[in-house]
């Protein structure tokens, strides 16, 4: 499984006074089993891009290939795309609607036309994957759960489609630090256990650096930067100009870099930064 | 994009039309709409259209902006046109099985479509040149005499303000929910009427929950900002009649006379 | 000077039991006592459901205590008579930038509060222009609210609070739904307002934001777990873990690298490393 995006362009209201180019010549690839992190400020085209990847929006021009198959030439059935590509929107808990958790998670598989036994198996499996207990939650109303649990249920609703590619738009938005850590760990576990491609958008640079194999930086509808976290976050100045930033650990070591002549660290995480500082202090000059 | 619908939107400007008292504009628009129903031939429409375009010219609202609002309701106009074209009996011009187009039908279809277009442009001129707050303030003032007989004029006006403010928000919310459910394989297009109605539940339930949350948030925000009804409230921009409004009144009378006269023009 | 006084504040939600009778339910706040000094900058942190937002709503009488008392400059929030005195002194900015703007046009929304206070039109105009300049949104005063970004909407909401000339503004997770740029601009405004003498109470999930306050109150399950300066709080790892929170990055790095506890900023660490 792989994704290729080629020269994607999307224009809102073409030929009208409100014409806006939301995506402009966007091309990139995502390798099988890898994690792609996407960053960019509001209006940079992130959400529009995500919606192209599972056919919710058709491009003005350009193509999207999922596993070598072009999904933008009009010949692919939407159901087949949705089966392969799961998309979890921002604040997905606001899309829950069924009376019980079991029914809500079963909504996707049911739409795929699966039989009862298969639906049940998938509901059980996805509840397990999001770290909840089937017997505890299956008959509960999703509306009576806490914010963090609702979000897990909503994500389970997409996982139950058994996608080969999972896309999450700001999965940790609005959560407290411990729920944030839990959801992030859960997303990572889902990726590892299901062996799928994971694409996620986040404003948290530390999360992006920690999770991603590759980072895509969107700005003004274009891909402004693309590369490994180390490559992308070496462009601190450029990211700051786009209203973005680098992980906090990097911010701190940059200050040390600039003030301590022979200290040099390119750490992205607190752990790496601590190691670099320790090594420097214990070094021959210490 | 959904946020580009111009119906009910304000186009900032400082023209003579913009500066008119909102009450003048509300009354003028109402009169204009009534007059469109008084018109009984195409000459009347010519007068009405000329008057409208004069007002648009003075208002300096770009025509493109106005037609964009029209394109949003194009389907309704087309439907009205077709319905009239096929439904009216008279001299048959063209026939295929049970479908027939008559001369009367064609003329009536044009008549109704023009009327509809003028209604829409006429009322959008009002909303385009009047800030929502002025519009609702004007309405509140116009209705205030009726508050003595129990009409909650302030509450009606506030409801309108909030509705205008939250229409784009709710549209975006709806758009998002539809897409989220589509991403879970929901199908809103196939099946019989009953199945289609049922397929709306995954949209309507979250939309209802969202609206409720918005209402709750907004009520708290309003309370926190000392909202306690219309009593003792002042306005940043007090609306009042001035010379411009008098000129507008004279123009309206002339226009009314012209429209009534047009009824008697015969071919 | 004591500006807000909170004594044994308890908020208890009632629920309907199986027989349809009202019975006491969960306590959202349980016996909270604290004072807020005039001109201070206080952060309130804690996990979801710890009672942070509930506390915020008690400070201007949006919620009235089930037991205990809250007073703003001596006015009891439970007394109907003074509720408008209280709310005009304690402004509030909420989490969701979309759901707190009342009017479609920026300047009309900012005018909403002063209009409710019955202020003269000319004075409202002055306040609105002034408030919009302070948050850097004056150029957008004619714009439609729905055309703004989340950060811009939040700045308009802050202007709406400023225009009421409050002594204090309570910010209930104002940056939770914003992107990094929006967050930075909102935090900058909050700090500016505080320097100008407005008491700021900031409810947040972001430790880097709490770090910038003079004082941090940590809530857990409706109770105050601790009430200290950021320096004191973030040198107590046990407390942070107990509250389900996390260390700000600088402190986390300092501890991980085994550096002295006196270092509180990246600059401190740089200086320390340089000396060695």
């Amino acid at each position: 499984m792989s994704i290729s995006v080629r020269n994607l362009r999307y224009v809102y209201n073409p030929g009208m006074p409100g014409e806006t180019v939301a995506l402009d010549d966007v091309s990139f690839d995502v390798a099988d089993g890898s994690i792609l992190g996407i960053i960019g400020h509001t209006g940079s085209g992130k959400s529009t891009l995500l919606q192209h990847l599972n056919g919710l929006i058709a491009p003005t021009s350009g193509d999207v290939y999922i596993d070598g198959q072009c999904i933008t030439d009009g010949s692919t059935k939407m159901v087949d795309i949705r089966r392969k590509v799961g998309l979890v929107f921002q604040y997905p808990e606001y899309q829950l609607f069924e009376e019980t958790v079991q029914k809500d998670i079963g909504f996707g598989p049911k739409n795929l036309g699966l039989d009862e036994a298969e639906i049940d198996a998938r509901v059980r499996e996805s509840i397990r994957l999001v770290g909840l207990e089937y017997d505890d939650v299956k008959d509960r109303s999703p509306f009576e759960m806490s914010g963090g649990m609702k979000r897990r249920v909503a994500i389970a609703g997409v996982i139950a489609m058994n996608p080969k590619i999972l896309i999450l738009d700001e999965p940790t938005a609005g959560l407290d630090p411990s729920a944030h850590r839990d959801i992030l760990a859960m997303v990572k576990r889902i990726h590892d256990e299901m062996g799928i491609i994971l694409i996620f958008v986040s404003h948290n640079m530390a999360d992006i650096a920690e999770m991603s194999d590759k980072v895509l930086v969107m700005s003004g509808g274009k891909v402004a930067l693309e590369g490994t976290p180390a490559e992308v976050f070496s462009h601190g100045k450029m990211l700051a100009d786009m209203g973005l930033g680098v992980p906090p650990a990097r911010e701190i070591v940059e200050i040390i870099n600039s003030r301590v002549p022979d200290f040099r660290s390119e750490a992205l995480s607190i752990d790496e930064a601590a190691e670099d500082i320790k090594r420097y202090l214990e070094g021959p000059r210490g | 994009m959904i946020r580009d619908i111009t119906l009910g939107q304000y186009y900032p400007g400082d023209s003579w039309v913009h500066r008119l008292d909102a009450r003048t504009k509300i009354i003028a628009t109402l009169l204009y709409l009534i007059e469109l129903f008084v018109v009984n031939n195409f000459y009347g429409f010519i007068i009405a259209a000329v008057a409208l375009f004069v007002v648009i010219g003075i208002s300096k609202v770009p025509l493109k902006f106005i037609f964009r609002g029209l394109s949003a309701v194009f389907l309704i106009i087309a439907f009205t046109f077709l319905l009239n074209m096929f439904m009216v009996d008279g001299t048959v011009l063209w026939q295929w099985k049970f479908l027939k187009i008559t001369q009367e039908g064609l003329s009536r279809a044009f008549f109704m479509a023009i009327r509809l277009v003028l209604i829409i442009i006429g009322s959008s001129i009002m909303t385009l040149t009047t800030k929502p707050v002025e519009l609702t303030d004007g309405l509140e003032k116009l209705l205030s005499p009726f508050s003595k007989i129990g009409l909650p004029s302030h509450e009606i006006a506030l409801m309108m303000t909030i509705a205008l403010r939250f229409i784009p928000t709710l549209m975006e919310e709806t758009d998002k929910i539809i897409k989220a459910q589509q991403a879970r394989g929901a199908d809103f297009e196939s099946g019989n009427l009953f199945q289609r109605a049922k397929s709306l539940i995954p949209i309507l339930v979250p939309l209802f929950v969202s609206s409720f949350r918005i209402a709750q948030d907004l009520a708290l925000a309003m309370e926190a900002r000392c909202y306690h009804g219309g009593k003792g409230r002042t306005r940043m921009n007090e609306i009042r009649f001035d010379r411009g409004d008098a000129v507008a009144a004279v123009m309206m009378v002339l226009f009314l006379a012209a429209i009534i006269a047009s009824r008697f023009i015969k071919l | 000077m004591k500006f807000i006084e909170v004594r044994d504040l308890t908020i208890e939600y009632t629920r309907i039991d199986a027989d349809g009778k009202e019975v006491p339910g969960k306590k959202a706040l349980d016996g909270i006592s604290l004072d807020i000094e005039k001109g201070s900058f206080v952060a309130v942190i804690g996990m979801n459901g710890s009672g942070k937002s509930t506390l915020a709503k008690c400070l201007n009488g949006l919620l009235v205590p089930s037991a205990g008392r809250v007073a703003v400059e001596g006015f009891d929030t439970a007394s109907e008579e003074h509720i408008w005195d209280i709310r005009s002194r304690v402004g509030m900015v909420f989490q969701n930038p979309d759901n707190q703007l009342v009017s479609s046009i920026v300047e009309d929304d900012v005018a909403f509060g002063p209009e409710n206070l019955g202020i003269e039109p000319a004075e409202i105009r002055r306040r609105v222009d002034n408030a919009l300049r302070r948050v850097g949104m004056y150029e957008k005063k004619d714009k439609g609210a729905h055309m703004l970004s989340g950060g811009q909407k939040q700045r308009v909401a802050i202007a709406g609070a400023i225009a009421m000339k409050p002594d204090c503004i309570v910010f209930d997770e104002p940056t939770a739904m914003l992107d990094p740029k929006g967050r930075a601009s909102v935090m900058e405004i909050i700090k500016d307002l505080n320097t100008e003498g407005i008491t700021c109470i900031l409810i947040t999930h972001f430790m880097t934001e709490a770090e910038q306050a003079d004082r941090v109150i940590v809530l857990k399950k409706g109770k105050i777990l601790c009430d200290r300066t950021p320096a004191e709080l973030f040198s107590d790892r046990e407390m942070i873990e107990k509250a389900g929170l996390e260390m700000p990055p600088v402190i986390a790095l300092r501890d991980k690298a085994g550096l002295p506890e006196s270092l509180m900023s990246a600059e401190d660490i740089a200086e320390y490393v340089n000396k060695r």
Side-chain angles (χ1 to χ4, degrees):
Chain A
M1 193 63 55
S2 65
I3 305 176
S4 291
V5 172
R6 287 290 166 270
N7 313 102
L8 206 60
R9 181 180 166 82
Y10 184 73
V11 184
Y12 281 115
N13 301 318
M16 296 281 214
E19 181 177 297
T20 338
V21 180
L23 291 178
D24 190 7
D25 199 18
V26 171
S27 300
F28 63 92
D29 295 282
V30 191
D32 191 14
S34 69
I35 301 183
L36 174 74
I38 302 182
I39 57 179
H41 67 75
T42 321
S44 60
K46 288 172 307 190
S47 298
T48 314
L49 174 62
L50 298 188
Q51 292 177 34
H52 276 88
L53 299 182
N54 79 339
L56 281 172
I57 300 181
T60 306
S61 64
D63 289 300
V64 176
Y65 299 86
I66 305 283
D67 213 14
Q69 186 193 0
C70 183
I71 65 163
T72 41
D73 59 8
S75 66
T76 318
K77 272 215 237 133
M78 282 303 143
V79 176
D80 292 332
I81 304 172
R82 309 267 149 81
R83 210 189 289 269
K84 281 184 190 158
V85 187
L87 174 55
V88 180
F89 278 80
Q90 238 179 62
Y91 298 97
E93 57 272 26
Y94 294 160
Q95 285 111 43
L96 298 171
F97 70 98
E98 279 285 12
E99 298 144 50
T100 67
V101 167
Q102 188 180 28
K103 279 194 196 166
D104 206 292
I105 299 176
F107 178 67
K110 207 169 145 195
N111 287 329
L112 295 180
L114 303 173
D115 60 50
E116 285 299 325
E118 177 66 19
I119 293 176
D120 188 59
R122 287 204 179 179
V123 170
R124 280 171 189 271
E125 175 62 5
S126 25
I127 290 181
R128 186 190 67 79
L129 275 168
V130 296
L132 297 174
E133 284 293 330
Y134 178 78
D135 292 322
D136 285 354
V137 298
K138 70 175 168 78
D139 294 324
R140 283 176 66 184
S141 159
F143 295 103
E144 284 162 8
M145 301 178 122
S146 74
M149 271 174 103
K150 271 189 200 168
R151 189 161 301 178
R152 284 167 192 266
V153 171
I155 294 174
V158 174
I159 294 175
M161 312 268 294
N162 207 4
K164 300 285 168 274
I165 296 161
L166 181 64
I167 307 174
L168 298 136
D169 192 354
E170 288 193 58
T172 59
L175 297 176
D176 65 40
S178 76
H180 180 125
R181 279 194 299 270
D182 291 350
I183 292 280
L184 208 64
M186 177 200 93
V187 168
K188 179 94 174 104
R189 197 181 58 239
I190 290 170
H191 166 261
D192 295 348
E193 278 197 34
M194 293 178 77
I196 52 178
I197 290 182
L198 179 73
I199 299 178
F200 80 113
V201 169
S202 177
H203 289 319
N204 186 314
M205 302 304 154
D207 293 351
I208 291 279
E210 186 194 323
M211 300 262 296
S212 320
D213 297 308
K214 180 165 151 179
V215 182
L216 200 67
V217 183
M218 295 293 295
S219 180
K222 289 186 166 84
V223 177
L225 282 171
E226 181 186 358
T228 63
E231 286 161 5
V232 165
F233 289 121
S234 65
H235 296 90
K237 172 82 177 56
M238 194 174 160
L239 290 169
D241 290 344
M242 288 186 273
L244 301 168
V246 296
R250 183 56 164 269
E251 252 173 63
I252 300 169
V253 296
E254 287 294 350
I255 291 175
I256 308 178
N257 283 343
S258 69
R259 297 189 181 203
V260 183
D262 55 345
F263 178 86
R264 184 75 207 150
S265 166
E266 289 181 353
L268 292 174
S269 69
I270 297 290
D271 287 355
E272 288 165 19
E275 282 309 309
D276 287 345
I277 292 176
K278 271 193 202 159
R279 198 174 308 125
Y280 177 83
L281 292 177
E282 285 159 8
R285 288 179 42 89
Chain B
M1 214 174 8
I2 235 158
R3 61 168 62 172
D4 290 313
I5 290 175
T6 49
L7 221 62
Q9 257 185 41
Y10 174 60
Y11 184 87
D14 191 33
S15 71
W16 181 74
V17 184
H18 281 83
R19 284 193 306 269
L20 284 177
D21 189 317
R23 285 170 291 182
T24 310
K25 283 185 268 190
I26 294 171
I27 294 172
T29 308
L30 273 177
L31 265 179
Y32 186 74
L33 298 186
I34 294 169
E35 282 156 12
L36 285 177
F37 285 92
V38 170
V39 169
N40 67 347
N41 59 33
F42 286 101
Y43 295 104
F45 281 149
I46 291 171
I47 299 171
V50 168
L52 190 61
F53 281 95
V54 166
V55 174
I56 294 174
I58 301 172
S59 76
K60 298 202 182 83
V61 177
L63 276 180
K64 269 198 279 187
F65 210 78
I66 289 163
F67 287 119
R68 199 170 59 172
L70 210 54
S71 65
V73 286
F74 175 75
L75 269 183
I76 302 175
I77 298 169
F79 182 71
T80 314
F81 185 85
L82 291 176
L83 203 68
N84 279 292
M85 188 165 77
F86 290 120
M87 290 304 173
V88 178
D89 285 326
T91 327
V92 176
L93 294 176
W94 175 87
Q95 187 157 20
W96 177 74
K97 292 189 181 160
F98 63 94
L99 282 179
K100 58 177 192 297
I101 299 176
T102 63
Q103 192 177 347
E104 288 77 2
L106 206 56
S107 137
R108 193 164 167 77
F110 273 112
F111 193 81
M112 297 307 267
I114 293 172
R115 179 181 281 168
L116 204 55
V117 168
L118 289 175
I119 287 176
I120 292 162
I121 298 182
S123 38
S124 57
I125 272 294
M126 172 177 75
T127 53
L128 283 168
T129 60
T130 319
K131 290 206 297 181
V133 161
E134 286 175 18
L135 202 63
T136 50
D137 279 0
L139 190 78
E140 186 177 344
K141 285 253 169 77
L142 282 174
L143 292 179
S144 63
F146 300 103
S147 55
K148 288 194 185 72
I149 56 163
L151 189 80
S153 56
H154 167 73
E155 284 75 10
I156 292 175
L158 183 75
M159 268 163 53
M160 279 188 56
T161 305
I162 292 173
L164 286 170
R165 160 68 187 81
F166 281 94
I167 285 169
T169 308
L170 278 175
M171 294 243 242
E172 261 169 54
E173 192 70 33
T174 313
D175 191 50
K176 212 162 74 187
I177 294 169
I178 291 176
K179 281 181 171 160
Q181 307 301 26
Q182 276 180 334
R184 290 166 78 188
D187 177 6
F188 306 118
E189 270 120 39
S190 53
N192 60 32
L193 203 62
F194 178 72
Q195 283 164 330
R196 280 199 208 188
K198 218 178 139 198
S199 75
L200 289 179
I201 292 174
I203 301 173
L204 294 179
V205 173
L207 191 61
F208 181 76
V209 174
S210 281
S211 317
F212 199 74
R213 194 183 57 243
I214 291 174
Q216 227 172 359
D217 283 1
L218 182 68
L220 271 182
M222 286 170 65
E223 265 195 75
R225 289 163 78 183
C226 291
Y227 177 71
H228 51 283
K231 226 172 140 195
R233 231 174 103 79
T234 47
R235 292 303 148 84
M236 177 163 69
N237 298 311
E238 292 286 345
I239 52 175
R240 57 180 164 273
F241 288 117
D242 61 14
R243 198 162 352 133
D245 296 287
V247 174
V250 173
M251 282 171 62
M252 277 186 308
V253 171
L254 286 175
F255 176 65
L256 182 64
I259 287 289
I260 293 174
S262 80
R263 284 182 67 92
F264 302 104
I265 301 176
K266 290 266 156 55
L267 268 172
Chain C
M1 196 193 120
K2 246 185 273 174
F3 176 63
I4 301 178
E5 196 181 333
V6 179
R7 287 291 168 273
D8 306 315
L9 167 63
T10 298
I11 292 281
E12 194 173 46
Y13 292 116
T14 52
R15 60 182 181 85
I16 310 293
D17 71 359
D19 306 327
K21 269 187 294 190
E22 253 190 33
V23 293
K26 191 178 141 249
K27 278 183 181 168
L29 290 177
D30 190 359
I32 296 230
S33 294
L34 55 93
D35 292 327
I36 306 274
E37 305 294 317
K38 205 157 203 172
S40 60
F41 180 5
V42 183
V44 181
I45 58 179
M47 289 169 72
N48 285 334
S50 61
K52 300 180 307 279
S53 285
T54 311
L55 175 62
K57 291 184 190 97
C58 289
L59 299 178
N60 64 352
L62 285 177
L63 275 178
V64 180
S66 315
R69 144 192 153 89
V70 177
V72 175
E73 279 197 310
F75 295 123
D76 192 326
T77 59
S79 87
E80 299 253 330
E81 191 185 346
H82 294 299
I83 196 68
W84 311 118
D85 293 314
I86 291 169
R87 290 194 188 148
S88 62
R89 281 175 173 76
V90 182
M92 200 155 172
V93 174
F94 296 85
Q95 182 189 84
N96 192 319
D98 250 310
N99 302 356
Q100 57 183 316
L101 304 183
V102 185
S103 274
S104 320
I105 304 292
V106 167
E107 63 172 8
D108 293 333
D109 184 78
V110 177
F112 183 74
E115 287 177 343
N116 289 331
L117 297 177
I119 290 162
E120 287 300 304
E123 168 66 10
I124 298 181
R125 167 54 65 194
R126 265 196 301 280
R127 285 189 181 196
V128 167
D129 289 352
N130 190 13
L132 282 170
R133 280 199 191 94
R134 276 168 85 176
V135 299
M137 290 294 291
Y138 184 75
E139 275 66 42
K140 302 230 185 254
K141 65 178 184 158
D142 289 332
K143 290 281 178 296
H146 68 287
M147 301 302 280
L148 306 178
S149 73
Q152 290 174 327
K153 281 181 200 158
Q154 210 60 319
R155 277 147 70 187
V156 173
I158 296 175
I162 296 174
M164 297 177 74
K165 295 214 167 160
D167 299 311
C168 170
I169 301 179
V170 180
F171 297 89
D172 189 359
E173 293 191 42
T175 60
M177 300 178 77
L178 307 182
D179 64 10
K181 199 168 144 193
R183 270 179 58 194
S185 72
V186 166
M187 273 313 286
E188 206 171 302
I189 291 168
I190 295 176
K191 281 192 284 177
D192 282 351
L193 291 175
N194 185 243
T195 0
E196 289 163 29
I198 293 181
T199 312
C200 292
I201 300 171
L202 171 66
I203 309 221
T204 183
H205 279 323
F206 296 107
M207 299 305 123
T208 44
E209 292 176 5
E211 225 183 353
Q212 302 176 34
D214 313 327
R215 174 180 163 199
V216 186
I217 295 171
V218 183
L219 293 186
K220 188 180 183 182
K221 292 187 177 153
K223 291 192 163 124
I224 295 183
L225 205 56
C226 76
D227 181 349
R228 310 172 175 170
T229 64
E232 285 164 354
L233 171 67
F234 293 122
S235 56
D236 188 348
R237 181 164 288 277
E238 211 175 299
M239 176 62 73
I240 293 295
E241 273 162 20
K242 202 164 140 198
L245 300 169
E246 65 183 0
M247 286 289 185
V250 171
I251 313 291
L253 172 60
R254 177 193 76 191
D255 294 352
K256 200 137 234 164
L259 305 175
E261 276 190 8
S262 57
L263 309 179
M264 290 302 296
S265 68
E267 286 77 9
D268 291 349
I269 296 180
E271 202 180 318
Y272 177 84
V273 172
N274 203 15
K275 274 194 196 138
R276 289 291 294 270

